[in-house]
């Protein structure tokens, strides 16, 4: 049973459609839609991960000096006998 799905129209090149059909025939997916959903999920996950990494990089860049200061203080504290 399919829940919460919507149909959309997508225009793709014939070679790509032929590739999807070959994969479906070989049992990679149950249908064209199944293969497209899987590929789209992989793409979306990768983009979300890339954006999150960019945001984290920006946070680190903004706080680089403070983090370095804290790291030096921690090392100095741990070096005490």
């Amino acid at each position: 049973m399919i829940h919460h799905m919507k149909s959309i129209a997508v225009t793709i090149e014939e070679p790509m459609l032929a590739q999807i059909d070959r994969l479906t025939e070989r049992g990679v997916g149950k249908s064209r839609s199944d293969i497209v959903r899987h590929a789209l999920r992989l793409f979306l996950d990768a983009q979300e991960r890339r954006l999150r990494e960019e945001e984290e990089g920006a946070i680190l860049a903004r706080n680089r000096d403070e983090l370095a200061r804290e790291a030096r203080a921690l090392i100095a504290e741990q070096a005490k006998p």
Side-chain angles (χ1 to χ4, degrees), residues 10-75:
V10 177
T11 304
I12 61 172
E13 298 86 2
E14 286 188 31
M16 188 181 301
L17 182 59
Q19 198 173 9
I20 291 170
D21 288 341
R22 282 193 302 276
L23 292 173
T24 303
E25 290 168 7
R26 296 179 76 181
V28 172
K30 296 179 276 185
S31 65
R32 288 174 171 175
S33 291
D34 188 45
I35 290 174
V36 171
R37 275 192 304 270
H38 180 71
L40 187 55
R41 173 54 47 214
L42 292 174
F43 173 79
L44 293 173
D45 288 348
Q47 293 306 306
E48 290 286 346
R49 189 171 37 258
R50 182 185 60 78
L51 290 173
R52 195 169 44 252
E53 289 171 357
E54 285 178 5
E55 290 167 356
E56 290 170 356
I59 291 168
L60 286 172
R62 280 195 310 270
N63 295 291
R64 180 169 306 180
D65 292 341
E66 180 62 25
L67 290 169
R69 239 184 331 275
E70 290 177 11
R72 285 191 300 274
L74 180 60
I75 291 168

Side-chain angles (χ1 to χ4, degrees), residues 76-81:
E77 183 64 31
Q78 290 177 348
K80 291 180 182 177

